[in-house]
Amino acid sequence: MGKKNKKEKGKGAEKAAQKLAKKDRKAEGMEDLEAMIAQFKEEDKQRTTFTEEVSSHPTPRTNLSVTAHPDKDELIFFGGEYFNGKKTTVFNDLFVYNIKKSKWMKQSVPNPPPPRCAHQAVAVAKEGGQLWVFGGEFASPNNLQFYHYKDLWVLNLKEHKWDQIKAKGGPSQRSGHRMVVYKQNIFVFGGFHESHKNFIYFNDCYLFSLSDYTWTKLSPTGSGPCPRSACQLAFTQDGVLIIGGYSKVKVNKEVDKGTSHSDIFLLREKPGNKWSWEKVKETGNKPWPRSGFSVAPVSGNRVGFFGGVCDDEDEEEIKSLFFNSMHCLDTISYRWFNVEFYKKGKEKKLPEDNVGEVKDDEVMKILPCPRMNSSLAVKKHTMYLFGGVVEDGDKQVTLNDLWSIDLRKLNSWDQILEADDTGADWFEEEEEEEEGSSEEEMEVDEPGCSGDHVD
């Protein structure tokens, strides 16, 4: 929706990526960007000891990582970005949410990664717990230049210590990739590299060994997914599923056209460290094609999907429809199911992709508003949803609300934290607009992200 100026995140060979990175380094403004990052690093060197303090919740942000602690009842929030219509702010702060106490702590850990967003993070139960972070990007304040990382970091959650792991042969600079723990490895797929004039999407696969700290690039046989970013991954008994994603191509010098992919591929592991691609044949009630959806495991062989956005593009505008429905995919039968919310003695199906509440004779169900790029994490049969982005006319609303749902019951969402009101922070574009155009172009109810009610 609105003017076609969104920053969309997801085939380029390694040489092409290297050439683009080299062009980036020579591009106007890139030296300033690198200088900013160097300044952040210098300032972070002043952190010599670990400290933590009771804090309020994280400020509104998107493209952060939210990861469940492998041993404790905690959620770990790192990085992200916030855009107010004029300026982009990128973070490298670290928050911990204690689930049992409903308490926020802000931690200052020496030698942190520089600020980033659109990175990936996974946690493993090793040495008291480790948080691994790879890649991502840093955006200039005017959102016109992007520095993409290819660094790998590990945070020891017990010792409160960051370390950069300098292993050769890893993925090139990128953001919007996806990452999952596979056996004793970290698996990385896809992503994109963007400059102010060009972009490349990837479909390469890498494994990082958690035992000997080495990278291996996989060379699967068969026909795999096209290059993309913003897909989702799921670990299965046969290998790794690559689900959906987003990519764009140039229509002409001024216009890019994006595609939301709805296909699913299985990267199957075979004896002898060999891998092959297989296109998955899905059945059931498949969700509407979308990008920006979020995924988390909901049971032993099912993954849950929430939200996302479907864009209808032409050469001048993007009209967007946001979702807040939930769907499940069985990773053995590859059958889709709609998630149904219910009350004991009664059953009520969720209205597809609507904001607000579901009513029966005695009960109201309040739902998170439709959104894209929310963060999901699962801890002990409970799924947590944090933030995301929705649009109100030409305004981008970045959320920081927190919700939970019991995966054993799936009877209702519980709102833990309301989103901050960021309406006053937004800077409108300096151009003439037709009066009332924002309301006419909206294809979703007003955000109302603290639980608006809709019959």
Side-chain angles (χ1 to χ4, degrees):
M1 69 170 6
K3 291 292 183 288
K4 191 165 183 178
N5 59 0
K6 314 181 157 180
K7 178 184 164 188
E8 302 281 4
K9 314 282 186 177
K11 157 178 175 177
E14 289 182 44
K15 288 184 178 180
Q18 292 169 1
K19 287 181 180 179
L20 185 57
K22 202 174 278 188
K23 287 181 180 179
D24 273 355
R25 289 193 292 269
K26 296 179 180 179
E28 182 180 354
M30 283 303 294
E31 289 185 0
D32 294 338
L33 204 58
E34 292 174 348
M36 289 179 65
I37 296 172
Q39 182 179 349
F40 283 122
K41 289 181 178 180
E42 192 63 32
E43 292 173 356
D44 286 335
K45 284 182 180 180
Q46 307 307 313
R47 305 188 201 183
T48 58
T49 59
F50 167 74
T51 61
E52 66 177 345
E53 59 183 0
V54 177
S55 173
S56 59
H57 56 277
T59 56
R61 61 192 62 193
T62 186
N63 295 319
L64 72 159
S65 58
V66 179
T67 315
H69 194 293
D71 301 319
K72 299 180 180 180
D73 291 331
E74 294 177 346
L75 302 178
I76 306 164
F77 295 67
F78 175 72
E81 65 179 328
Y82 175 70
F83 179 62
N84 68 355
K86 183 178 182 180
K87 180 181 178 180
T88 296
T89 303
V90 187
F91 306 96
N92 71 337
D93 44 10
L94 185 71
F95 292 86
V96 175
Y97 176 68
N98 187 302
I99 295 171
K100 289 184 177 180
K101 297 180 181 180
S102 189
K103 182 179 179 181
W104 292 93
M105 302 295 292
K106 187 174 183 179
Q107 297 187 347
S108 177
V109 183
N111 188 39
R116 68 192 59 213
C117 60
H119 57 280
Q120 285 285 281
V122 296
V124 296
K126 182 180 179 183
E127 299 177 357
Q130 294 177 336
L131 180 75
W132 288 85
V133 174
F134 172 74
E137 71 182 50
F138 179 85
S140 62
N142 62 10
N143 210 37
L144 294 178
Q145 294 283 358
F146 311 101
Y147 181 89
H148 296 262
Y149 297 103
K150 61 174 181 177
D151 49 354
L152 178 66
W153 296 77
V154 59
L155 171 63
N156 186 303
L157 299 172
K158 182 180 180 180
E159 302 294 332
H160 305 293
K161 179 184 177 184
W162 281 107
D163 285 304
Q164 184 175 359
I165 307 301
K166 297 182 179 181
K168 296 181 179 180
S172 59
Q173 294 172 283
R174 66 188 64 198
S175 57
H177 50 287
R178 290 299 180 260
M179 194 162 84
V180 68
V181 177
Y182 180 77
K183 299 181 179 179
Q184 299 301 312
N185 304 280
I186 295 174
F187 174 81
V188 178
F189 171 82
F192 78 105
H193 185 288
E194 180 180 24
S195 69
H196 67 298
K197 292 183 178 180
N198 210 342
F199 51 84
I200 296 175
Y201 287 81
F202 304 101
N203 62 350
D204 45 4
C205 308
Y206 290 83
L207 283 179
F208 178 78
S209 170
L210 291 169
S211 57
D212 60 15
Y213 287 14
T214 57
W215 284 105
T216 300
K217 185 177 181 180
L218 305 183
S219 300
T221 60
S223 180
C226 66
R228 63 190 65 189
S229 70
C231 61
Q232 295 295 344
L233 307 182
F235 168 78
T236 76
Q237 61 184 10
D238 298 318
V240 181
L241 286 178
I242 286 80
I243 306 164
Y246 175 89
S247 63
K248 62 183 180 181
V249 296
K250 281 193 173 294
V251 177
N252 54 51
K253 287 186 178 181
E254 302 296 328
V255 177
D256 307 329
K257 182 172 179 59
T259 298
S260 296
H261 303 285
S262 59
D263 47 7
I264 300 179
F265 289 82
L266 170 66
L267 182 61
R268 183 185 295 274
E269 184 179 14
K270 295 184 174 183
N273 294 321
K274 296 182 179 180
W275 300 79
S276 66
W277 286 113
E278 298 176 12
K279 180 77 177 292
V280 169
K281 296 181 180 180
E282 310 154 69
T283 62
N285 195 354
K286 185 175 180 177
W288 191 266
R290 64 192 68 182
S291 60
F293 58 91
S294 306
V295 168
V298 299
S299 67
N301 64 323
R302 289 189 179 182
V303 291
F305 293 71
F306 175 84
V309 62
C310 178
D311 289 335
D312 181 17
E313 301 188 36
D314 58 33
E315 292 192 1
E316 298 297 329
E317 293 181 330
I318 303 176
K319 294 183 179 180
S320 302
L321 176 64
F322 290 81
F323 302 95
N324 67 345
S325 57
M326 281 190 65
H327 307 268
C328 278
L329 175 68
D330 188 299
T331 58
I332 296 177
S333 66
Y334 302 122
R335 182 175 179 83
W336 286 98
F337 303 88
N338 285 339
V339 173
E340 295 184 347
F341 287 52
Y342 61 88
K343 182 182 178 183
K344 188 175 181 180
K346 298 179 181 180
E347 190 168 298
K348 189 77 175 179
K349 185 175 180 179
L350 227 114
E352 179 75 11
D353 304 320
N354 205 355
V355 66
E357 61 189 34
V358 182
K359 295 181 180 179
D360 58 25
D361 293 340
E362 302 175 358
V363 67
M364 288 184 178
K365 302 288 192 258
I366 299 177
L367 314 174
C369 70
R371 63 189 69 191
M372 66 177 183
N373 294 345
S374 55
S375 300
L376 297 181
V378 174
K379 189 68 181 181
K380 289 185 177 179
H381 307 294
T382 300
M383 182 168 72
Y384 297 88
L385 181 152
F386 178 82
V389 172
V390 69
E391 289 176 350
D392 180 3
D394 286 335
K395 182 186 296 184
Q396 178 176 294
V397 180
T398 304
L399 309 171
N400 64 339
D401 50 350
L402 182 63
W403 300 73
S404 69
I405 184 170
D406 190 325
L407 298 174
R408 296 165 296 185
K409 300 177 181 179
L410 286 175
N411 58 348
S412 66
W413 282 98
D414 293 318
Q415 188 169 25
I416 301 172
L417 181 70
E418 292 188 3
D420 294 347
D421 183 1
T422 60
D425 296 339
W426 186 260
F427 288 84
E428 296 290 349
E429 289 187 13
E430 297 179 358
E431 58 180 314
E432 295 183 3
E433 295 182 352
E434 294 181 15
E435 292 184 5
S437 62
S438 294
E439 293 183 3
E440 294 174 0
E441 291 177 348
M442 283 290 289
E443 294 192 38
V444 63
D445 293 302
E446 289 292 322
C449 296
S450 58
D452 277 15
H453 294 173
V454 176
D455 292 341

